[in-house]
Amino acid sequence: SVVLEVKEVKKVYGVQNGENSTVALDSVSFNVEKGEFIGIMGPSGSGKTTLLNILSGIGKPSYGEVFIGGKNITSLDKNEMALFRRQHLGFVFQEFNLMDSLTLKENVMLPMILDKRDKAQMEAKSEEIMKLLGIEEIAGKYPYNISGGQQQRVAVSRALVNDPDIIFADEPTGNLDSKSSNAVMKCIEKMNQERESTILMVTHDAFAASFCKKIIFIKDGAISMEIVSSGVRKEF
Ligand code: ADP
Ligand code: ADP
């Protein structure tokens, strides 16, 4: 089934300035099916951040529409969007954005705490996902006591704990060494394979991109190419 529909999305910055305006996205359209694992790549300034912001409801398109699970998110107001993001979307960023005053398990529970869920249910779901990602043994530790790779796996757990319709990842390996990148990408891949999580990831990193099943290339605000993976990985 189709999870995300992007219809003729166009973004123009600085319209008020007239001649100084920038067309960051020009009529971008594509669909994403449930369970897809898509990478978005392209040179700096090509519009990747703008696209991710619009798809995740942080930014509004100048023209066009975005549907998630059949709902037109471009028509939501600020409060409706905040709620929709919490209930339907998951986010992983380059910075891990964990709260130092909370344990790792509490960090993972955070999205559910905001939704005032049952405590026993929150604990069970958090423990389940941390176990799946191999970090259950450090659940009681604090973010400043663990490695960057472990922090990012906590962030991935937090993004997934509510079973979001889509996970948006923006350079998730940007601050990691190659060993940690591998561990984090394997976790994201596992979520995609075992829970059919739908993932949209912006990355400059060819290693991270190699995990995607499909890569969309953006150039000058438009899709220039799409590559579908053969699924064959040969590791050395
Ligand atoms: P990336 O790491 O994806 O290349 P950028 O450095 O292009 O990110 O942009 C970082 C942030 O600055 C983004 O949120 C983007 O919207 C904003 N930004 C980029 N270019 C401009 C600009 N010319 N004027 C104002 N904000 C900008
Ligand atoms: P990328 O993430 O691929 O580096 P961006 O989406 O950040 O690309 O930027 C696409 C284009 O839009 C660039 O020309 C950038 O300078 C411009 N841009 C991005 N954000 C803003 C903004 N807030 N105001 C004005 N121009 C922006």
Side-chain angles (χ1 to χ4, degrees):
S1 60
V2 177
V3 174
L4 171 70
E5 284 177 271
V6 184
K7 290 187 174 173
E8 310 247 327
V9 163
K10 184 166 177 173
K11 179 73 181 184
V12 187
Y13 288 113
V15 181
Q16 293 88 336
N17 314 347
E19 62 199 75
N20 289 328
S21 66
T22 305
V23 179
L25 292 174
D26 195 2
S27 237
V28 172
S29 299
F30 62 96
N31 285 351
V32 176
E33 301 269 342
K34 179 168 170 53
E36 282 202 275
F37 185 174
I38 296 182
I40 297 177
M41 299 188 85
S44 193
S46 58
K48 305 179 298 293
T49 305
T50 301
L51 179 63
L52 206 69
N53 286 348
I54 289 172
L55 301 187
S56 59
I58 296 168
K60 291 267 184 204
S62 310
Y63 307 94
E65 288 165 328
V66 176
F67 293 82
I68 295 179
K71 194 177 181 82
N72 185 347
I73 64 157
T74 34
S75 66
L76 299 179
D77 69 27
K78 218 175 158 195
N79 289 333
E80 291 168 333
M81 194 63 231
L83 186 66
F84 185 84
R85 283 160 57 83
R86 264 213 323 275
Q87 294 184 337
H88 295 276
L89 310 179
F91 294 91
V92 180
F93 301 100
Q94 184 168 347
E95 300 78 29
F96 318 121
N97 293 323
L98 300 178
M99 296 191 70
D100 272 343
S101 61
L102 300 179
T103 65
L104 302 178
K105 188 162 104 180
E106 287 164 348
N107 268 283
V108 173
M109 280 164 46
L110 207 54
M112 294 186 289
I113 291 172
L114 294 170
D115 275 345
K116 302 187 178 64
R117 297 261 210 100
D118 174 68
K119 185 146 189 284
Q121 191 199 8
M122 292 195 301
E123 300 234 348
K125 285 197 98 173
S126 305
E127 282 162 16
E128 182 200 337
I129 193 135
M130 292 181 87
K131 197 166 176 185
L132 209 56
L133 298 191
I135 49 173
E136 79 275 20
E137 268 158 30
I138 54 168
K141 289 196 178 184
Y142 288 86
Y144 45 81
N145 283 329
I146 62 171
S147 72
Q150 288 172 324
Q151 290 194 44
Q152 193 61 303
R153 278 189 278 166
V154 174
V156 171
S157 304
R158 182 184 54 191
L160 278 149
V161 76
N162 268 337
D163 281 317
D165 295 340
I166 308 179
I167 294 146
F168 293 101
D170 193 356
E171 299 282 1
T173 58
N175 280 331
L176 301 177
D177 59 33
S178 60
K179 196 160 162 265
S180 300
S181 293
N182 192 18
V184 166
M185 289 316 301
K186 288 236 157 82
C187 285
I188 294 178
E189 182 177 54
K190 190 171 182 183
M191 294 297 99
N192 173 252
Q193 289 173 347
E194 292 184 12
R195 292 173 61 147
E196 264 197 281
S197 304
T198 308
I199 297 155
L200 222 78
M201 174 177 76
V202 168
T203 188
H204 287 113
D205 177 6
F207 176 75
S210 73
F211 286 82
C212 299
K213 292 182 192 160
K214 187 197 280 183
I215 298 178
I216 292 174
F217 288 87
I218 310 277
K219 190 185 165 198
D220 299 332
I223 294 177
S224 62
M225 183 165 59
E226 201 177 280
I227 296 182
V228 178
S229 164
S230 67
V232 179
R233 275 181 82 80
K234 187 175 171 188
E235 293 189 43
F236 298 91

